[in-house]
Amino acid sequence: MRNITGAAYAASKYIELPVREESTLLDFLLKQMGISRNRAKDLLSGRAVSVDRKLTTRHDTPLRVGEVVRVSRHRQSTMLLNKYVKIVYEDKNIVVIEKSEGILSMASSPKQYCIKKVLDEYFEKRHFKCTAHVVHRLDRETSGLMIYAKDIETAKILEDNWHEMVYDRRYIALLCGSMKQEGGTVQSWLRESKSLVTYSSPTDNGGKFAVTHYHRLKSSDD
């Protein structure tokens, strides 16, 4: 078995690897290319691998002696490259993304730029027959991890059980100025406006009751 170096891989538009012993496609890629399991699966899901010039995305595709596996370098064209959204996990039902500040979780009007639109375009580019379903939201200027479902059934399961699964949320904020207290507790009720903006009320406004404990991590004279 030979290991394909990064330099050799970058030198051509694709590489051809002859099959000299029976194997599954995933195991073959791991041994021949010296890459990680996640990297190999990414190549497959990115439609970058063919066997005897027949495109395949199945990791368990059986290989026979004499066949030729071709790996294309054009996989990058189907990857998600976006300054606001980074995929950290993906399977057939969900996608977990790292959201940057400055983008909406979902749009309140058709023309607004949002993560759902980014993911839908990503799915379409990769020829996935699915769309992104919003399970929970983060404010535009809040960054952090988010889960989107790929089908309505998974979205409903997550939404119906969300507060049992996620009952502790933690945020880190950078403040300018000095805090009157180094820590404390805030109790409020949260409601969502028609434009999907969440606002807080110190009295019961029919929204969800929330308890927030806060404390200062560190401070600086600057």
Side-chain angles (χ1 to χ4, degrees):
M1 297 288 184
R2 65 192 181 101
N3 184 279
I4 305 299
T5 65
Y9 185 69
S12 62
K13 293 182 180 179
Y14 59 85
I15 56 173
E16 289 187 342
L17 304 169
V19 179
R20 295 190 172 90
E21 61 182 40
E22 292 187 356
S23 174
T24 62
L25 184 53
L26 179 60
D27 290 339
F28 180 84
L29 292 174
L30 296 178
K31 294 177 182 178
Q32 289 286 345
M33 299 186 68
I35 57 180
S36 68
R37 183 174 293 269
N38 285 340
R39 171 67 168 165
K41 288 184 176 180
D42 191 34
L43 286 170
L44 290 166
S45 63
R47 302 171 68 84
V49 181
S50 62
V51 179
D52 278 356
R53 297 184 180 272
K54 293 182 179 179
L55 182 70
T56 180
T57 59
R58 293 182 60 88
H59 65 86
D60 57 351
T61 299
L63 299 179
R64 298 177 178 82
V65 176
E67 292 179 326
V68 176
V69 175
R70 175 182 283 191
V71 181
S72 171
R73 292 188 65 245
H74 292 298
R75 179 191 60 84
Q76 286 83 355
S77 62
T78 63
M79 291 179 64
L80 177 59
L81 300 175
N82 187 284
K83 67 177 182 178
Y84 295 110
V85 182
K86 176 184 177 183
I87 292 180
V88 297
Y89 175 81
E90 182 179 3
D91 61 28
K92 66 178 182 179
N93 298 116
I94 66 169
V95 57
V96 181
I97 63 100
E98 182 177 350
K99 173 191 178 302
S100 297
E101 68 276 6
I103 187 171
L104 291 167
S105 304
M106 67 175 292
S108 56
S109 65
K111 293 184 179 181
Q112 283 185 313
Y113 189 63
C114 65
I115 294 177
K116 174 176 166 49
K117 186 173 292 186
V118 171
L119 290 176
D120 284 345
E121 291 175 354
Y122 162 72
F123 294 151
E124 183 179 3
K125 185 180 290 185
R126 299 187 70 174
H127 305 284
F128 290 171
K129 295 181 180 179
C130 63
T131 57
H133 297 267
V134 178
V135 176
H136 64 114
R137 287 184 283 272
L138 290 178
D139 292 338
R140 185 200 295 264
E141 299 308 321
T142 302
S143 61
L145 295 179
M146 295 189 66
I147 299 175
Y148 284 78
K150 290 185 175 181
D151 57 81
I152 194 66
E153 293 81 8
T154 301
K156 181 169 175 50
I157 291 172
L158 292 172
E159 288 175 0
D160 290 347
N161 298 279
W162 188 253
H163 293 292
E164 284 70 41
M165 295 185 296
V166 183
Y167 51 85
D168 184 0
R169 305 182 187 191
R170 304 193 181 205
Y171 296 83
I172 297 176
L174 179 64
L175 308 177
C176 182
S178 58
M179 295 174 61
K180 293 181 179 180
Q181 296 176 279
E182 292 196 8
T185 299
V186 176
Q187 297 184 2
S188 61
W189 284 260
L190 306 179
R191 287 198 72 173
E192 199 172 71
S193 67
K194 292 182 180 179
S195 58
L196 303 180
V197 175
T198 302
Y199 62 94
S200 173
S201 170
T203 58
D204 190 348
N205 58 4
K208 296 178 181 178
F209 180 63
V211 178
T212 301
H213 306 287
Y214 69 93
H215 66 275
R216 188 179 69 186
L217 295 175
K218 65 179 181 178
S219 62
S220 168
D221 292 337
D222 297 327

